Amino acid sequence: MSTVPYWLQKQRKPDLQALAAHVGVKNYDKLLKLDLEEALNDHLRKNQTRLEKDPMASGFYKRLDSPVKRERDSGGHVSAAATSTVAEVKKTKQRRQTLKAREELEA
């Protein structure tokens, strides 16, 4: 049982059925919503090269590349690789401009 992306979970069943019919999932009309989510997840992942440019499935593929939680070791510490990428992101952010206190401006 694989984890179903949130994008599929938040879709309503008629929308999932329309997507399933569009991308070619078989026997989708007899599935419960949770089973339909899993069937679509498997089908869309297996056929990514063919379907990723399809406008109906684009929401699914946009969210596949979203950031992942950083992994922690057994001691609860963030791994070195994850820490370095976070540090790189923090370096690229522009700092807020600090404003001088009113007393310093009047002096």
Side-chain angles (χ1 to χ4, degrees):
M1 190 179 219
S2 61
T3 304
V4 177
Y6 179 70
W7 184 83
L8 283 175
Q9 292 175 0
K10 73 177 185 174
Q11 302 296 318
R12 294 190 174 172
K13 186 174 179 182
D15 298 332
L16 292 174
Q17 288 175 329
L19 179 61
H22 182 74
V23 298
V25 176
K26 297 181 181 182
N27 300 324
Y28 64 88
D29 52 341
K30 297 176 183 172
L31 298 174
L32 298 174
K33 183 175 186 286
L34 295 175
D35 297 331
L36 184 57
E37 290 171 2
E38 288 183 19
L40 274 168
N41 184 36
D42 292 341
H43 184 79
L44 290 171
R45 286 181 189 266
K46 288 177 184 174
N47 298 298
Q48 182 172 359
T49 54
R50 183 173 57 92
L51 296 170
E52 66 186 342
K53 294 180 181 163
D54 189 321
M56 279 190 80
S58 64
F60 176 82
Y61 294 113
K62 283 181 186 174
R63 281 142 183 96
L64 281 182
D65 296 330
S66 63
V68 183
K69 288 184 180 180
R70 291 177 275 159
E71 295 183 15
R72 297 184 181 271
D73 61 9
S74 59
H77 302 294
V78 177
S79 66
T83 307
S84 65
T85 57
V86 170
E88 290 170 5
V89 170
K90 286 185 178 181
K91 285 180 185 177
T92 60
K93 287 186 177 180
Q94 193 176 31
R95 292 186 171 214
R96 296 170 113 186
Q97 183 179 6
T98 55
L99 301 175
K100 295 184 179 183
R102 190 176 279 181
E103 297 85 31
E104 292 178 19
L105 292 174
E106 292 175 355

